[in-house]
Amino acid sequence: LHTLDTFGVFKNNEQERLKALTDNHLRLGNYLLSTDHVAEAVRQYKLGLEVTDRLLRLAPADSLPVYRNDIQASLLTQLGTAQLQENNAPAARASFQQAYDALTYGLNSFYFGHAALLEGKEDEALSQYRGIYNEVQLGLVLFEVSRLALRFPERRARLESFIPRLRDTILHEHPEMSPDATDYWYASNYFVYTKAKKQWKSTLDWSVKIMAAAEKLANQPGASIDWKSRYLDATLSVAFYYLHLSPQDPGAFAKATEVTELAESYAAKEHPYYTYREWFKMNLAHAYLLRNRPGDHEAAIGIYADFLKTPGYEGDNWELLQKDFRDLHRAGLQLPNLKGVIEAIKPAN
């Protein structure tokens, strides 16, 4: 942000610099909002909107609808969401209205439901929430209402009692929607939130809930391969976050290993072409390295070396492995003789 903001006007393509600035303000605002730094998030969104105004003044007429839809509306929607967290329902409603006007097809009414609910207008809120039409949206809305309840203790009882009413109403009116899928997306939002705040016990708990919901959906007759993949994705997270708790829970290694072995067995039977199947072994290697019993160090190195020989589906496997090491280190875990492990497995090129 500093570089883009202080470098000066681009002679040949100033619009690209301004678009990059808006994107970075949005991303930083989203990170700050996800970690409850609400005032700082609001500031970033407003700065992004100021840059957007400059972009719109420079843009040719045929680009204006795209910039308003793709850039301005996103910043305004997130600004409104942050303003709710500031207990400023009128400002949030105004931001949502501006986002509605900027979007080609308008903004879903459930955003306005949040403002009404914060003001205590539950019937109006429920009417606005009827704009929800799939489980992804319902999971997000339930999460956002729950987060408001946590943010404002004086409203907590009222908001938490409203959540089951909202969930039951929408599911009743949409029998095609799955309660299990709703639970999956609700837990997924909480997983992202607690992970951003580095609340590892809560992150694990929400991972387990995601896994349970995905398992139900994956094992239904005629289940899509997507739910089988999501179930296996969840097992990877559960095993990984068990390791985060290993300093406080000596049994975490056994739990991580058990989840990994169950996932490998499931993948072999139900989804042999699962993209991240080799990653199960990487979690197992992390567990060995952290447990550090006789023979564990060598076992971990062997698994890491084999992992690095497999084709990378999501970029370079060495980069992915280094990211895991960094994540575990930042979580406060001490990886025994990590330097020696890296020396033993680092690719020559």
Side-chain angles (χ1 to χ4, degrees):
L1 276 169
H2 177 75
T3 301
L4 287 167
D5 204 27
T6 58
F7 190 84
V9 174
F10 283 11
K11 292 180 180 179
N12 295 324
N13 205 339
E14 174 64 356
Q15 290 181 46
E16 291 303 313
R17 183 181 77 90
L18 295 178
K19 284 196 289 184
L21 265 174
T22 61
D23 182 63
N24 279 279
H25 282 300
L26 178 63
R27 289 173 182 270
L28 180 54
N30 289 346
Y31 169 75
L32 291 166
L33 184 59
S34 72
T35 53
D36 290 333
H37 294 87
V38 179
E40 294 93 330
V42 167
R43 178 174 175 273
Q44 289 301 321
Y45 296 137
K46 288 183 175 179
L47 287 170
L49 287 166
E50 290 175 10
V51 177
T52 304
D53 288 341
R54 288 152 56 192
L55 176 62
L56 293 173
R57 288 196 297 269
L58 288 175
D62 60 355
S63 296
L64 293 178
V66 174
Y67 289 167
R68 290 191 180 109
N69 186 85
D70 296 351
I71 299 174
Q72 188 180 46
S74 296
L75 284 160
L76 285 164
T77 302
Q78 290 303 99
L79 174 61
T81 302
Q83 288 166 330
L84 289 171
Q85 294 288 323
E86 289 188 316
N87 195 24
N88 193 344
R93 186 180 287 106
S95 295
F96 292 146
Q97 184 60 54
Q98 288 179 277
Y100 179 94
D101 295 338
L103 285 162
T104 304
Y105 298 105
L107 186 69
N108 194 297
S109 64
F110 66 69
Y111 288 98
F112 297 94
H114 290 328
L117 183 63
L118 198 59
E119 294 174 326
K121 302 171 184 175
E122 294 189 5
D123 290 339
E124 178 186 334
L126 194 60
S127 177
Q128 299 281 16
Y129 286 137
R130 285 187 164 91
I132 298 168
Y133 57 83
N134 62 40
E135 298 96 335
V136 178
Q137 293 173 344
L138 181 54
L140 172 63
V141 168
L142 294 173
F143 162 72
E144 289 181 340
V145 174
S146 177
R147 190 173 169 192
L148 288 171
L150 294 174
R151 181 91 177 160
F152 305 114
E154 70 280 7
R155 293 183 174 89
R156 184 168 184 172
R158 177 176 67 83
L159 293 173
E160 287 185 341
S161 67
F162 181 80
I163 289 173
R165 178 188 174 193
L166 170 59
R167 184 181 187 276
D168 292 347
T169 297
I170 300 301
L171 289 175
H172 176 76
E173 294 182 0
H174 291 272
E176 77 282 3
M177 288 170 54
S178 163
D180 291 327
T182 299
D183 293 343
Y184 173 90
W185 291 111
Y186 175 70
S188 295
N189 281 288
Y190 256 116
F191 167 79
V192 172
Y193 176 61
T194 55
K195 179 183 174 183
K197 298 189 71 173
K198 300 181 180 179
Q199 297 172 343
W200 305 126
K201 176 63 168 65
S202 294
T203 303
L204 172 61
D205 290 344
W206 287 109
S207 294
V208 170
K209 291 176 182 178
I210 291 169
M211 183 176 70
E215 185 176 20
K216 289 181 184 178
L217 292 157
N219 290 331
Q220 289 178 357
S224 71
I225 201 71
D226 178 61
W227 282 118
K228 295 179 188 297
S229 293
R230 291 184 184 279
Y231 166 64
L232 291 170
D233 290 346
T235 64
L236 282 169
S237 289
V238 169
F240 191 63
Y241 289 105
Y242 266 130
L243 298 179
H244 282 60
L245 300 185
S246 57
Q248 297 81 35
D249 180 8
F253 299 119
K255 294 171 186 174
T257 301
E258 181 183 3
V259 170
T260 298
E261 289 172 348
L262 288 171
E264 286 189 299
S265 175
Y266 181 90
K269 295 176 183 176
E270 301 290 339
H271 195 355
Y273 299 108
Y274 175 60
T275 302
Y276 310 114
R277 196 168 169 187
E278 291 298 321
W279 292 21
F280 294 130
K281 295 176 182 176
M282 191 161 64
N283 276 341
L284 197 60
H286 296 334
Y288 287 147
L289 191 61
L290 286 163
R291 189 176 64 178
N292 201 28
R293 290 179 182 171
D296 283 349
H297 186 267
E298 293 75 16
I301 287 177
I303 294 172
Y304 290 141
D306 288 343
F307 174 74
L308 293 174
K309 294 174 186 175
T310 60
Y313 295 101
E314 288 287 325
D316 181 77
N317 278 354
W318 175 235
E319 292 297 325
L320 292 169
L321 183 53
Q322 289 181 91
K323 181 183 181 302
D324 265 15
F325 289 153
R326 289 193 298 270
D327 288 346
L328 291 167
H329 177 73
R330 288 167 183 166
L333 297 172
Q334 299 301 314
L335 296 162
N337 192 26
L338 181 58
K339 183 178 180 180
V341 172
I342 291 173
E343 290 175 350
I345 64 174
K346 184 177 180 180
N349 56 351

